[in-house]
Amino acid sequence: MTSRELTGFLALDDADALAAQRRLSDMAWRIGFGAITWPWLLASLSGGRKADKRALLDELGLPHDALPHLGSWKADVGFLRHIVREIARLRPAHVVELGAGASTLIAARALALHGGGRLTSFDQHDGFVQATRNWLADHGLHADLRHAPLTAESRDWPGRWYNMDSLPDSIDLLIIDGPPWAVHPLVRGAADSLFARLSPGGVVLLDDAARPGERLVARRWRKRWPHIDFRLKHDGTKGTLVGQRRDISVPADNDNDHRRVGRHLVRAAGMAALIATGWIARGEVGEFPPAAQASPFLDEAAASHRTGLLRQSMASQVESATLNPVEIQRSTGIVLPPLPAKWRIHDVQLYPTSDSPAIAVSITTPEGEQLSFFADRAETPAEARPLIARRADDVIAYWEAGDMAYALTGRAGPQRIMALAAEIAPAG
């Protein structure tokens, strides 16, 4: 059986994984996260729009029946498109994949079109590996598919891990779509054992990144690997975490040790308890506890506010008060929400960030308050409902909509800044 056959809602059983499930701590994690993960599992059933799947297959020159069944525990169209995009951009020599299936077919075809690099794919199911090998052969494609049972254990992460051998010394693209969360909600965190092999500019793609477990994994990765830039993309049914290495880095110690299991179990139990009060639903849970990855975005928002104030005080600086959201979206991909008509726009600037240009808008309210509105693609702990933060004298209200993050910065009190932000942010 491969991903081209219709499969069940959950991942395939594995004897080694079932042995790991008998451990009490793993069972508690699965119970806690199972209570809150079901909205994401239900949302993943579609696998994406059929029109998007056809467009992807047309781009690759594959027949429309090449991917008859997506969704459930298999990759969705959004994740597959990230694979194609990165292979076309990087033209990688070595691609390593954890969890074979639809992503193997797409990666193998993309490599054939863009440089002909080598694909090494690991999966815990021996029969699945052979069936996927045959599936690729039906389309004239080849990959180095290997059976890697879940018999290894990570020093830093819970659950059982792939027993892998003969890995390439340098990895240009790492695709992570396994093991399944039923082994342990944080099991995919152990993929960071391969991060030291990433080539400069190498990319990590993590599937199912919007799920609570994967969000916790992403949070720890950011702390352990500060020279890999991670961003969560919401352009699929399950979310994709995209990481790109900037430099070699030695990770800090992980906080996933046996002495802290009790604390983690309390967190999992607390998250499950929130279900009973209706506080958690799909799209309304962030990382638990709130993560610190908003810091770069907030620093940039505060810096853009100070820059805007400085520009307004300098007669030599020419301001541009024309705000054209259509042109901005067409040129940068940044989506701007409507601003209140009573606000006066003084200046609209492209603001350079480490990843791509952001938009900074200098504003004055009818009450004379000087504000800056900042928009960029970033992941923060906030969702539709704004959160508040401080940077020196600046008070920042920030929120997300889709894959965009927004910040409203000023020097009024927190309640006033939140009230002003509520005029822009969607009701949440």
Side-chain angles (χ1 to χ4, degrees):
M1 182 175 67
T2 69
S3 291
R4 61 176 164 181
E5 274 78 49
L6 187 63
T7 56
F9 181 64
L10 298 176
L12 300 177
D13 287 336
D14 185 275
D16 297 317
L18 292 175
Q21 289 177 3
R22 287 194 289 269
R23 293 187 296 177
L24 180 60
S25 61
D26 288 3
M27 180 67 74
W29 273 93
R30 288 196 306 279
I31 292 173
F33 275 80
I36 64 173
T37 302
W38 61 267
W40 284 267
L41 295 176
L42 289 176
S44 71
L45 288 176
S46 70
R49 298 191 310 164
K50 291 182 179 179
D52 292 336
K53 182 173 72 171
R54 288 194 299 269
L56 177 64
L57 293 171
D58 288 341
E59 178 183 339
L60 295 173
L62 290 171
H64 287 176
D65 62 354
L67 294 175
H69 302 293
L70 294 178
S72 185
W73 50 271
K74 300 177 289 295
D76 67 1
V77 175
F79 185 67
L80 298 178
R81 185 163 291 283
H82 275 291
I83 293 174
V84 174
R85 185 181 304 146
E86 294 301 333
I87 289 176
R89 183 178 68 87
L90 296 172
R91 302 180 73 84
H94 295 287
V95 178
V96 171
E97 178 187 47
L98 306 178
S103 55
T104 313
L105 175 71
I106 294 302
R109 178 57 180 168
L111 284 169
L113 294 175
H114 303 288
R118 179 184 179 91
L119 172 61
T120 305
S121 180
F122 297 92
D123 197 273
Q124 69 268 32
H125 303 289
D126 196 12
F128 194 85
V129 166
Q130 183 57 47
T132 303
R133 189 179 291 121
N134 296 337
W135 185 19
L136 266 62
D138 290 344
H139 294 279
L141 300 170
H142 170 76
D144 182 7
L145 285 120
R146 305 182 192 177
H147 176 221
L150 299 178
T151 56
E153 291 199 23
S154 168
R155 181 172 60 93
D156 298 320
W157 296 90
R160 296 295 180 95
W161 188 242
Y162 296 110
N163 189 351
M164 298 180 288
D165 59 2
S166 302
L167 286 160
D169 293 333
S170 180
I171 299 173
D172 303 305
L173 176 61
L174 177 60
I175 302 170
I176 307 167
D177 195 18
W181 77 273
V183 174
H184 193 285
L186 307 185
V187 68
R188 293 184 183 180
D192 73 352
S193 62
L194 305 181
F195 286 1
R197 297 174 182 262
L198 283 175
S199 60
V203 169
V204 177
L205 296 178
L206 173 65
D207 194 19
D208 305 297
R211 292 189 310 206
E214 278 72 13
R215 287 182 180 244
L216 278 174
V217 166
R219 178 183 177 228
R220 294 187 188 176
W221 281 355
R222 289 186 178 93
K223 291 182 177 180
R224 288 166 57 83
W225 301 91
H227 297 292
I228 300 178
D229 296 320
F230 290 102
R231 289 202 171 192
L232 177 60
K233 304 294 185 179
H234 296 281
D235 49 359
T237 58
K238 301 187 289 183
T240 300
L241 185 73
V242 181
Q244 184 162 20
R245 181 195 151 187
R246 288 185 281 117
D247 197 3
I248 296 175
S249 175
V250 177
D253 289 336
N254 197 303
D255 64 351
N256 181 51
D257 55 49
H258 296 295
R259 293 172 297 176
R260 301 184 182 182
V261 166
R263 184 185 67 188
H264 296 321
L265 295 180
V266 170
R267 289 179 182 173
M271 294 177 78
L274 291 178
I275 281 289
T277 61
W279 287 3
I280 293 181
R282 183 177 183 269
E284 293 190 12
V285 64
E287 299 184 13
F288 189 84
Q293 75 268 16
S295 181
F297 173 74
L298 296 177
D299 291 342
E300 290 164 350
S304 73
H305 178 60
R306 293 191 296 270
T307 301
L309 293 177
L310 181 61
R311 283 175 54 82
Q312 291 180 52
S313 68
M314 298 174 63
S316 62
Q317 295 297 302
V318 179
E319 296 179 340
S320 174
T322 301
L323 179 61
N324 188 332
V326 175
E327 181 186 46
I328 289 173
Q329 183 174 358
R330 183 175 62 246
S331 301
T332 69
I334 293 176
V335 180
L336 295 177
L339 300 178
K342 60 185 178 180
W343 290 5
R344 181 186 173 192
I345 296 174
H346 294 278
D347 198 13
V348 180
Q349 295 288 330
L350 285 174
Y351 189 87
T353 69
S354 59
D355 187 59
S356 61
I359 297 296
V361 184
S362 297
I363 299 164
T364 300
T365 67
E367 291 75 18
E369 298 151 312
Q370 292 181 303
L371 308 172
S372 289
F373 179 68
F374 188 75
D376 193 12
R377 292 186 186 85
E379 183 191 357
T380 75
E383 301 244 351
R385 180 176 299 154
L387 298 180
I388 203 76
R390 286 184 179 274
R391 289 294 185 273
D393 295 330
D394 297 322
V395 178
I396 308 170
Y398 64 102
W399 66 97
E400 290 187 13
D403 64 350
M404 297 299 306
Y406 303 110
L408 188 68
T409 306
R411 294 185 176 173
Q415 291 185 340
R416 176 58 178 166
I417 295 296
M418 286 290 278
L420 292 167
E423 299 187 42
I424 313 174

